[in-house]
Amino acid sequence: MKRRSINADEQDVHSRWRRYLTSFRRAGAASKVKRRIRRRERREGKHGTRRAQQEG
């Protein structure tokens, strides 16, 4: 499943260009963006399962 990017940071952190971009040179910068992506995916998954349980 392809990850849906909301902004440019999320798109850049999953690309190979991450090593050349200056915004991800700080320690933990890429991890912070990845954590935000995973948190959003979990929240959307929980919301989807709750909606499916209510329908069925």
Side-chain angles (χ1 to χ4, degrees):
M1 184 168 103
K2 187 173 179 178
R3 294 182 186 269
R4 190 181 68 199
S5 298
I6 298 295
N7 58 19
D9 283 342
E10 294 179 3
Q11 187 174 0
D12 292 341
V13 80
H14 285 292
S15 70
R16 293 180 186 213
W17 280 93
R18 178 181 70 231
R19 291 176 180 84
Y20 303 107
L21 298 171
T22 58
S23 61
F24 296 118
R25 298 242 174 162
R26 291 192 332 259
S31 299
K32 184 177 180 181
V33 175
K34 287 183 178 182
R35 195 175 315 123
R36 185 174 59 203
I37 293 169
R38 287 192 302 264
R39 187 177 295 159
R40 186 183 67 239
E41 288 176 350
R42 285 195 308 267
R43 188 173 51 234
E44 289 174 354
K46 287 178 185 178
H47 184 68
T49 54
R50 288 180 183 152
R51 189 179 329 151
Q53 287 178 349
Q54 289 176 354
E55 290 175 358

